[in-house]
Amino acid sequence: MTANEIYDKLKAEFGDDILAFSEDASTEAFITVRPQRITEVCLYLRDEPEFLFDYMVNLSGVDYKTNMTVVYHLYSLPKNHRIVLKVELDRDTPLVPTVEKVWKTANWHEREAFDMFGIVFEGHPFMVRILCPYDWEGYPLRKDYKEPETYHGIKVAY
Amino acid sequence: MGLLNRLDDPIQGDGIILGTVEDILNWGRSKSDWYLQFGLACCAIEFMALNASHFDMMRFGAIPRTSPRQADFIIVSGTVTLKMADRIKTLYEQMSEPRYVMSMGSCSNSGGPYWEHGYHVLKGVDRIIPVDVYVPGCPPRPEAFFEGLVKLQKMISTQAIFRKREKMSPEDLAALELRQKKVREYQERVKQENADYNDVNRKIYTGYSLDYLKKEESK
Ligand code: SF4
């Protein structure tokens, strides 16, 4: 199934909660979804017999300076098709429902997005840092991140 | 075996070796230096090759240990993150003296490829523990590493064990005294700032055991 067809079917099912469809030449086509509905959309994509997106390839955060974005790369092993979903979040209070209950893989991916961007996934069972030390300050991949001067008394800069 | 053959030699031998205790101790120490394996990143891959049969590190008498308490030196091979820095310090403190450190690869020498933008990388392991031998490279060839190892062995085998001060050059002695003075001052300061004196050992590295420093102080 092509991205276009998937978009049409989703639009018919979820209506206004599917915000946009973009077919830029340089990237894979992606569908922008209203953040509050992302869990339902993902469940629908996973379980509907014509989609069967049983594999979440990747979940990542992006800081676009105007907003925070979470990108979901999905792939269906039985149907051999793929789709990219995006949700756009407020930059200061990035909050989005978790998809951990849809794909278990999302657990660590979401923790990483939290660690690097400070995006909070509501309903995640264990929303703590995964790569940085627990006492790390700030979210390193945000555009406005400032390197700390010292960490535990060690100078950080070269 | 070479040594035993010589001892048994009818002309040179008679089972007698003349030398100082220090020489013999140092000979033994330098020829059986056990190391704490501490692979951190890609350099550790090269390090595995060192241990395998092709390069056969054990022919130098270097046997891998998994406990810091049994190790003579630690090989820090790879990228030291700030998260790992605390652990390395703890491991180093658990090693018994005399202890040595080899830093393997650009990363642990100076931060390597992450020197500029690595917000989470320690820019040189010598910021937390004193390094004796640096091996450059990204990663270093096994040959380069062996050169470093031989350097370390040479260093160990010429080290003074008894009457250290008499054997030091005046410049070294002056430098040592200056350093000790600084360390003592620093220690005093930390002692005053921290009510819990046990923390002092964790906070600073003196280069000498506390017993030794206390003895020096009481002189
Ligand atoms: S020095 Fe190079 S090979 Fe070694 S850990 Fe760093 S990046 Fe990897």
Side-chain angles (χ1 to χ4, degrees):
Chain A
M1 207 182 270
T2 63
N4 234 322
E5 290 163 345
I6 295 173
Y7 172 69
D8 290 341
K9 293 238 162 74
L10 278 185
K11 192 84 190 164
E13 179 72 22
F14 289 95
D16 283 349
D17 290 329
I18 308 300
L19 297 175
F21 178 61
S22 323
E23 266 184 313
D24 296 328
S26 59
T27 64
E28 270 182 79
F30 62 86
I31 300 170
T32 314
V33 181
R34 196 185 294 280
Q36 289 80 0
R37 295 299 298 277
I38 185 70
T39 313
E40 284 112 313
V41 172
C42 286
L43 257 181
Y44 182 73
L45 285 174
R46 187 191 71 178
D47 291 339
E48 204 58 24
E50 49 186 353
F51 295 136
L52 290 182
F53 282 103
D54 53 355
Y55 176 33
M56 197 193 79
V57 184
N58 189 23
L59 182 155
S60 49
V62 191
D63 183 358
Y64 282 121
K65 282 189 177 163
T66 48
N67 60 20
M68 284 283 174
T69 300
V70 182
V71 189
Y72 304 79
H73 285 80
L74 310 180
Y75 178 64
S76 162
L77 290 168
K79 298 274 182 191
N80 189 20
H81 55 198
R82 48 181 82 233
I83 189 68
V84 180
L85 302 181
K86 283 191 184 183
V87 295
E88 290 178 356
L89 311 171
D90 180 31
R91 198 159 182 288
D92 299 323
T93 50
L95 269 178
V96 63
T98 176
V99 295
E100 193 263 345
K101 308 207 166 45
V102 188
W103 299 284
K104 271 274 171 266
T105 305
N107 191 316
W108 281 17
H109 284 84
E110 287 180 349
R111 276 177 68 189
E112 190 185 355
F114 168 70
D115 196 355
M116 294 293 144
F117 296 94
I119 299 167
V120 176
F121 294 85
E122 286 171 304
H124 188 287
F126 191 51
M127 190 88 276
V128 300
R129 288 185 180 277
I130 188 170
L131 297 172
C132 290
Y134 293 145
D135 59 355
W136 195 262
E137 275 169 27
Y139 302 102
L141 291 191
R142 289 180 74 120
K143 298 275 195 241
D144 55 1
Y145 178 69
K146 289 265 176 323
E147 255 183 47
E149 260 170 31
T150 58
Y151 174 75
H152 286 190
I154 307 165
K155 187 165 149 262
V156 175
Y158 181 73
Chain B
M1 283 317 283
L3 186 69
L4 287 187
N5 285 345
R6 289 237 343 237
L7 282 178
D8 215 18
D9 188 295
I11 298 159
Q12 295 186 334
D14 267 358
I16 295 171
I17 311 172
L18 283 184
T20 59
V21 176
E22 193 176 88
D23 283 344
I24 298 198
L25 281 179
N26 273 342
W27 171 76
R29 271 183 343 120
S30 69
K31 295 294 183 286
S32 94
D33 33 6
W34 297 358
Y35 63 92
L36 176 64
Q37 34 183 345
F38 201 68
L40 285 169
C42 12
C43 269
I45 304 288
E46 202 73 1
F47 187 60
M48 286 173 220
L50 281 167
N51 279 300
S53 51
H54 196 93
F55 293 103
D56 188 17
M57 189 158 157
M58 276 198 216
R59 72 198 145 113
F60 292 97
I63 300 176
R65 309 310 296 173
T66 44
S67 158
R69 295 171 208 284
Q70 300 168 346
D72 297 308
F73 69 104
I74 178 172
I75 301 168
V76 183
S77 50
T79 319
V80 184
T81 56
L82 291 170
K83 196 177 179 178
M84 193 50 102
D86 290 349
R87 277 87 172 165
I88 291 189
K89 220 167 155 188
T90 311
L91 280 176
Y92 179 76
E93 281 162 2
Q94 285 176 344
M95 288 166 67
S96 50
E97 291 186 356
R99 54 196 170 183
Y100 308 90
V101 179
M102 269 181 89
S103 158
M104 176 183 183
S106 310
C107 274
S108 64
N109 290 347
S110 68
Y114 315 103
W115 72 275
E116 193 173 7
H117 298 299
Y119 61 90
H120 63 301
V121 175
L122 181 69
K123 312 295 185 318
V125 76
D126 49 6
R127 288 192 183 180
I128 48 168
I129 55 178
V131 177
D132 294 296
V133 179
Y134 297 87
V135 183
C138 179
R141 291 268 319 158
E143 291 84 347
F145 180 84
F146 284 144
E147 193 188 344
L149 185 61
V150 170
K151 279 223 169 87
L152 181 71
Q153 290 187 339
K154 275 209 185 113
M155 202 188 99
I156 295 175
S157 64
T158 54
Q159 225 174 22
I161 298 180
F162 310 109
R163 292 188 293 175
K164 287 182 197 160
R165 277 167 186 263
E166 282 169 30
K167 287 171 192 160
M168 283 171 104
S169 68
E171 302 91 58
D172 283 355
L173 202 58
L176 178 73
E177 262 154 19
L178 186 70
R179 180 151 164 247
Q180 283 182 341
K181 195 163 144 260
K182 275 191 189 159
V183 165
R184 266 199 293 275
E185 282 168 10
Y186 185 56
Q187 228 174 4
E188 275 310 311
R189 216 176 66 224
V190 176
K191 222 196 271 186
Q192 278 161 11
E193 284 167 11
N194 297 275
D196 183 7
Y197 182 61
N198 282 338
D199 266 6
V200 173
N201 247 350
R202 287 192 54 77
K203 286 223 172 76
I204 56 171
Y205 168 66
T206 59
Y208 294 92
S209 69
L210 266 183
D211 285 351
Y212 182 71
L213 278 176
K214 269 182 211 142
K215 234 183 270 165
E216 286 295 306
E217 246 163 353
S218 62
K219 257 183 203 166

